[in-house]
Amino acid sequence: MSTETPPSRADTVVIGAGAVGCSVAYHLTELGAEDVVVIDQGPLPVTGGSSVHAPGIMFQTSPSKIQTKTAHYTSRLLSDAGVYDEVGGIEVARSEERMDFLRRRVEWATSYGLPEPQLLSSEEVTEHLPMVDEDEILGGYYSPTDGRVDGIGALQWYMENSSASFYGNTEVTDLDVSGGEINAVETDQGRIDCERAVIATNNWGYQTGQLAGLDLPIAPVEHQYVVTEPMDELADAETSVGDNTTGLDVPGDRSIAEYMSEGPHRPVGRDQDHSLYFRTHGDALGMGSYNHEPLSVDPEAMGKNSEEHQASVRGFTKEHWETPTHRGRDKSAKQAFDELLPATQDVEYEATENGIFVFTPDGMPAVGETAQVDGLWTGLAIWWTHSGGYGRILAEWMENGVPRLPSGPVDTGGIHVRRFEPHAGEKDYFVDRGAKRYEQVYSIVEPRWQPDDHRGLRTSPFYHQQKELGAEFYQSGGWETPQWYESNADLVERYEDRIPDQDGWQGINRSKIEAAEHLHTRDKVSMFDMTTFSSIMVEGEGSQAFLQRVCSNDMDLDVGQVRYSLLLNEGGGILADITVVKLDDEAFMVTTGGGNSPGIHGGHLEDEAPATVSVHVEEGAKSTIGLWGPNARLLLQRCTDADVTNDGFPYFRAKQMYVGDVPVIALRVSYVGELGWELWAPTEYGQRLWETLQDAGEDLGVRPMGGGALSSMRLEKGYRLWGTDIDTDSNPFEAGLPFAVDMDTEFIGKAALETAREAGIDSKITPVTLDDSTDIMLSGRPVLKDGETLGYVQAGNYGYSIDESIAYTYVPTEHAEAGTSVQIQCEGETYDATVRDEPLFDPTRERIIR
């Protein structure tokens, strides 16, 4: 630790000395990085950020694998450091719906490797937490390795055990990003030239980003916490309150830092039915509440420390504690606590705060190198719970090019700072969405839940036709994407005997129309709106050589040839799966998915391209229709003079042609396992393209098809979905994609694949079908054999063409043989299932290549 003036130069500057910044610096130096400097506007270690006013409670279980993994890594790291109280964590249920939710917690914990997750009876809960009124609860979920981190103690430990240099009372005034790269961090103590920098300012993340011209969607929100006076019920506990921060420079109310530094001696608790949590602080009790309306803070007005307050703490608003203002809760925080913990009814509060922390629009962290500024990284929207893990991931990413934990590579699609849509940086948008995520922190969010604000931001040229057809729109990457069409309701009766009921949690927000559209596409022909998918134009001298370097497959293509390939990182993890089309000698079209693909995948190609190669991400520039089904050729031939016969237009070929009046790039590929084409046209021609196909195909039974049908059809064929089945945590051999790798070529990640192949593949993706149930399996649920957890469900749906419920999972190679019996736990039930060979549907590909 250093208190001197920062140096004029450093290899790496970490901005922010809170939980994330200190973790990044610690892990960078552990990996061998030298000349790392950490700066913060506040004093050290009590900076005035959210890390030092947080109560430090750590509940590790999440429906997200990466959130669970980073939490567990954090708990182990800080436990070994001696700054973690492993007292266990208990989440109580006051409703049957919450008990069902707690069963899901057990299943997620089992899937992702947390030790000994268990359900407790109400009596067992009160054995651990005697202050809880047993009559108020139905039971609880217990995770024995949950607990509490001593925030100030952990920051001190990081600083003392890292070779990085730390400087407090140093305010960042500007970021020099000239030439599209980070050159220096300007501070009130002088300029620090650097090769790279990390924004780890959390509550100030938006403001820091603005210094580099970035609109980072980081929304600060206030959050309530109180600490009681000493209670008779806790009189047996020792306390050091009054001595915890002796000798430390503490901005604002010292009592907050004092109490947050006092550890618990009983399990930390949560009452999510009322958006509450609690823990002991020696002989006092701390109670936290999300049970109030979102109190958003202007991200440009976070302010600074003063003698009166910490910068991340606002004054306690009593009305939000005593009045029900959360629109999903009918009781105030105080009323709900009084019922759950009756001993707190008449106690006084020794410390109160409205502490500030942040949310992104989707509630996940923002981690990685920014697209706009080379060498400028972010580690934002991260809680103490996950801070150690994300610090390790970011450090590995920066030093070695592979985001990973000691347990292995991690999936980054859901956390990458480049995943956000172009509109996400608009302040009203991300503040509103951040407030919604705050409101949902302890809510039971239904499968496939959809927001109701900021809708209609991005629509395809087919949007008005889709509305007239009764499309049920889901939002993906800001796009309005039909999940199914009410105009196809008549198909349900036609296929009724092939569509099983889906009841309970698995059936929420589903429609039988999705199944009917699936079956109709197999029988006739359907149009699927692919406008959310992205085309990336790669052109110029050396384009083919460039693509060969970044693509795992052979890029020695003829004009009009189409090839499926992967983009890999240096560790062989899958950054993307793509389709490459050669349009001319030095002109290619690369297609990839929608959502976060343009920013992550397009950005990767832009980063890697040499000066002679132009990479242009055409997000929204083309409107695309997937035309699929047995009648697809008949329909397309009516609309074009081009030869679309099997001989004239073979599978995995492309043509530039006309469909009616519309110029298209037609790819003979299919994501549903049927004869068909993708028709890529300039956006302004989209409406005419839809009308042309619709009018020409009425007698052939052409129908629109939504995303629900696409999901079940692609699983029947075993087609991978990036971010779901494949990501940077899997390599092509594990993912069953060796055909997308040509080891005779040179490409990024090849050396790692050679090493992996020589070492042997330990796990493999495989389809599993249920033996005697038609229920749909949900992602994140454990797959077991003889009580041992083999893996978890990556994706599940019903295969209406094969009349079986399908789940895809990675399992150890020795258990991946077809015929192996396994079990899946989902929604409190255990299902018998069998490992199968893939593809489950049309293994000879006759339907595609006819």
Side-chain angles (χ1 to χ4, degrees):
M1 187 187 302
S2 175
T3 57
E4 302 173 357
T5 303
S8 60
R9 191 200 170 281
D11 288 347
T12 305
V13 177
V14 179
I15 307 169
V20 179
C22 286
S23 174
V24 171
Y26 168 81
H27 286 101
L28 279 172
T29 56
E30 281 285 289
L31 293 172
E34 299 179 347
D35 198 14
V36 177
V37 166
V38 186
I39 56 177
D40 198 286
Q41 65 178 344
L44 302 181
V46 190
T47 61
S50 56
S51 298
V52 294
H53 72 66
I57 289 176
M58 288 181 57
F59 291 94
Q60 301 168 83
T61 310
S62 169
S64 162
K65 176 184 175 182
I66 194 168
Q67 291 285 82
T68 304
K69 290 286 190 182
T70 52
H72 192 56
Y73 175 86
T74 303
S75 74
R76 299 307 90 199
L77 172 72
L78 299 181
S79 179
D80 290 343
V83 292
Y84 181 69
D85 299 301
E86 192 173 293
V87 291
I90 296 177
E91 304 172 27
V92 302
R94 294 216 241 178
S95 65
E96 291 292 350
E97 293 79 10
R98 184 63 63 177
M99 279 304 299
D100 288 340
F101 177 79
L102 296 186
R103 293 185 185 95
R104 292 176 205 128
R105 305 291 273 186
V106 174
E107 292 169 0
W108 294 326
T110 302
S111 290
Y112 305 142
L114 291 185
E116 302 180 45
Q118 55 196 277
L119 288 179
L120 303 180
S121 68
S122 56
E123 181 180 5
E124 290 170 323
V125 169
T126 56
E127 289 174 1
H128 291 282
L129 296 171
M131 293 179 66
V132 170
D133 184 347
E134 185 178 321
D135 294 334
E136 280 291 319
I137 63 174
L138 301 179
Y141 164 63
Y142 179 50
S143 175
T145 57
D146 286 352
R148 167 265 182 183
V149 57
D150 175 0
I152 295 174
L155 297 180
Q156 290 175 307
W157 181 85
Y158 278 132
M159 294 176 189
E160 292 166 359
N161 288 275
S162 169
S163 61
S165 299
F166 294 80
Y167 300 89
N169 300 309
T170 302
E171 181 182 352
V172 175
T173 58
D174 201 5
L175 297 176
D176 181 349
V177 295
S178 58
E181 61 184 5
I182 184 72
N183 301 300
V185 177
E186 303 275 3
T187 81
D188 60 355
Q189 303 295 315
R191 175 185 172 97
I192 310 174
D193 293 323
C194 60
E195 302 296 323
R196 59 189 183 182
V198 182
I199 299 176
T201 50
N202 233 32
N203 295 345
W204 292 266
Y206 177 78
Q207 288 178 284
T208 313
Q210 289 286 287
L211 298 177
L214 306 179
D215 296 323
L216 298 174
I218 308 298
V221 188
E222 294 181 37
H223 170 64
Q224 293 198 301
Y225 196 80
V226 305
V227 183
T228 72
E229 63 186 347
M231 299 180 66
D232 292 341
E233 291 80 3
L234 301 173
D236 61 329
E238 297 181 359
T239 179
S240 300
V241 171
D243 300 323
N244 289 321
T245 61
T246 299
L248 298 179
D249 185 359
V250 178
D253 183 357
R254 182 176 289 268
S255 68
I256 293 174
E258 273 292 321
Y259 277 107
M260 296 312 168
S261 297
E262 188 69 24
H265 65 287
R266 292 179 180 172
V268 296
R270 285 206 286 203
D271 171 18
Q272 293 170 288
D273 283 312
H274 296 92
S275 298
L276 308 174
Y277 64 93
F278 54 95
R279 78 163 176 94
T280 59
H281 296 255
D283 60 0
L285 187 71
M287 298 180 285
S289 168
Y290 296 90
N291 189 352
H292 55 79
E293 64 185 344
L295 301 172
S296 297
V297 177
D298 184 344
E300 295 184 277
M302 270 300 304
K304 305 176 185 178
N305 292 326
S306 72
E307 291 186 5
E308 291 75 29
H309 70 274
Q310 291 182 21
S312 284
V313 175
R314 297 291 190 266
F316 185 72
T317 49
K318 187 177 179 181
E319 64 272 22
H320 291 107
W321 187 258
E322 298 182 352
T323 305
T325 59
H326 188 299
R327 60 181 174 179
R329 305 284 182 253
D330 59 0
K331 298 176 182 178
S332 70
K334 185 175 188 327
Q335 181 182 355
F337 269 131
D338 286 350
E339 294 171 352
L340 183 68
L341 307 168
T344 66
Q345 288 184 18
D346 299 317
V347 298
E348 299 294 327
Y349 301 145
E350 294 287 324
T352 61
E353 65 168 342
N354 277 19
I356 299 173
F357 62 155
V358 297
F359 289 85
T360 61
D362 60 11
M364 292 294 282
V367 178
E369 188 175 19
T370 64
Q372 300 91 337
V373 182
D374 291 345
L376 184 60
W377 296 72
T378 64
L380 296 168
I382 298 168
W383 298 2
W384 260 119
T385 305
H386 315 99
S387 57
Y390 281 119
R392 176 64 181 261
I393 288 168
L394 191 54
E396 290 275 6
W397 207 344
M398 294 172 68
E399 281 294 290
N400 302 317
V402 182
R404 60 182 298 128
L405 292 169
S407 57
V410 298
D411 53 324
T412 56
I415 62 169
H416 204 307
V417 68
R418 299 188 183 191
R419 74 184 183 276
F420 298 111
E421 313 91 340
H423 59 267
E426 196 279 319
K427 195 163 67 168
D428 286 344
Y429 174 85
F430 73 75
V431 168
D432 288 348
R433 283 292 169 89
K436 184 63 179 180
R437 293 299 175 179
Y438 177 91
E439 185 179 85
Q440 289 181 323
V441 165
Y442 283 176
S443 298
I444 298 175
V445 181
E446 296 177 341
R448 307 204 289 186
W449 169 85
Q450 291 291 298
D452 55 14
D453 66 334
H454 296 281
R455 297 300 298 266
L457 283 169
R458 310 174 85 182
T459 59
S460 80
F462 322 131
Y463 180 67
H464 294 293
Q465 285 104 323
Q466 291 166 341
K467 286 184 69 175
E468 292 175 0
L469 292 166
E472 178 68 21
F473 289 106
Y474 281 17
Q475 195 173 70
S476 174
W479 290 96
E480 296 296 336
T481 62
Q483 190 71 6
W484 68 82
Y485 294 84
E486 287 296 331
S487 61
N488 289 329
D490 63 303
L491 295 175
V492 174
E493 184 176 354
R494 181 184 305 173
Y495 296 108
E496 187 171 10
D497 61 335
R498 299 175 63 184
I499 306 175
D501 292 333
Q502 295 296 335
D503 299 320
W505 193 250
Q506 291 102 313
I508 292 176
N509 294 325
R510 289 185 177 272
S511 170
K512 289 189 174 183
I513 297 174
E514 299 168 87
E517 291 176 357
H518 170 138
L519 292 166
H520 173 82
T521 305
R522 296 269 188 244
D523 287 346
K524 300 289 185 179
V525 60
S526 293
M527 297 190 299
F528 178 77
D529 181 3
M530 295 180 61
T531 301
T532 61
F533 287 54
S534 299
S535 55
I536 304 169
M537 304 306 295
V538 178
E539 301 173 288
E541 183 181 350
S543 294
Q544 184 159 312
F546 160 63
L547 286 173
Q548 185 63 77
R549 186 172 65 84
V550 295
C551 291
S552 62
N553 216 338
D554 184 8
M555 289 295 110
D556 185 11
L557 307 178
D558 297 327
V559 173
Q561 195 170 359
V562 178
R563 182 147 293 161
Y564 178 78
S565 185
L566 306 171
L567 305 179
L568 306 178
N569 62 22
E570 293 289 353
I574 302 173
L575 286 169
D577 65 331
I578 59 174
T579 301
V580 181
V581 186
K582 186 167 185 178
L583 301 175
D584 209 335
D585 285 344
E586 295 287 1
F588 298 81
M589 183 173 79
V590 176
T591 72
T592 184
N596 54 17
S597 293
I600 297 176
H601 305 155
H604 175 73
L605 292 176
E606 290 173 333
D607 289 348
E608 295 292 335
T612 60
V613 175
S614 167
V615 175
H616 178 53
V617 182
E618 295 188 316
E619 189 173 11
K622 288 188 172 72
S623 54
T624 309
I625 291 177
L627 184 69
W628 298 314
N631 291 342
R633 178 177 285 119
L634 290 174
L635 173 50
L636 185 58
Q637 193 66 79
R638 291 179 179 182
C639 305
T640 183
D641 293 331
D643 182 357
V644 296
T645 63
N646 195 43
D647 291 336
F649 201 152
Y651 188 53
F652 258 61
R653 301 289 295 190
K655 285 186 179 183
Q656 300 186 60
M657 64 187 211
Y658 295 95
V659 175
D661 300 330
V662 179
V664 302
I665 299 174
L667 280 60
R668 190 173 164 200
V669 296
S670 169
Y671 193 54
V672 297
E674 293 291 337
L675 171 67
W677 285 262
E678 293 178 3
L679 305 173
W680 295 72
T683 295
E684 64 269 24
Y685 289 99
Q687 186 170 338
R688 177 60 64 87
L689 178 62
W690 180 285
E691 292 169 349
T692 299
L693 295 170
Q694 181 67 53
D695 292 346
E698 284 188 9
D699 64 318
L700 297 175
V702 69
R703 299 270 188 146
M705 180 191 101
L710 186 79
S711 173
S712 57
M713 296 179 81
R714 73 102 185 167
L715 274 190
E716 286 186 333
K717 284 297 295 179
Y719 292 150
R720 308 298 189 245
L721 177 61
W722 188 83
T724 299
D725 316 317
I726 54 175
D727 207 317
T728 44
D729 62 347
S730 55
N731 68 45
F733 304 137
E734 296 167 332
L737 300 173
F739 61 88
V741 178
D742 187 335
M743 296 297 283
D744 292 330
T745 64
E746 297 299 323
F747 55 86
I748 295 171
K750 178 181 177 179
L753 292 190
E754 288 176 333
T755 300
R757 189 170 60 177
E758 290 171 6
I761 305 303
D762 295 330
S763 67
K764 179 182 176 183
I765 196 170
T766 185
V768 173
T769 57
L770 300 190
D771 293 347
D772 52 12
S773 176
T774 58
D775 291 350
I776 290 175
M777 299 294 93
L778 300 175
S779 62
R781 307 311 172 91
V783 178
L784 309 103
K785 183 171 180 60
D786 300 327
E788 176 191 356
T789 303
L790 301 181
Y792 60 92
V793 176
Q794 302 283 146
N797 213 318
Y798 197 77
Y800 299 99
S801 306
I802 64 172
D803 195 24
E804 292 186 279
S805 182
I806 306 167
Y808 263 80
T809 178
Y810 286 86
V811 298
T813 307
E814 62 266 27
H815 297 295
E817 185 177 349
T820 301
S821 295
V822 296
Q823 296 79 43
I824 300 176
Q825 291 180 349
C826 185
E827 289 302 293
E829 293 190 35
T830 299
Y831 297 84
D832 291 328
T834 302
V835 173
R836 302 280 298 276
D837 285 326
E838 61 174 347
L840 298 168
F841 177 78
D842 188 30
T844 62
R845 301 198 307 165
E846 293 178 4
R847 299 178 70 93
I848 299 175
I849 61 177
R850 56 187 167 186

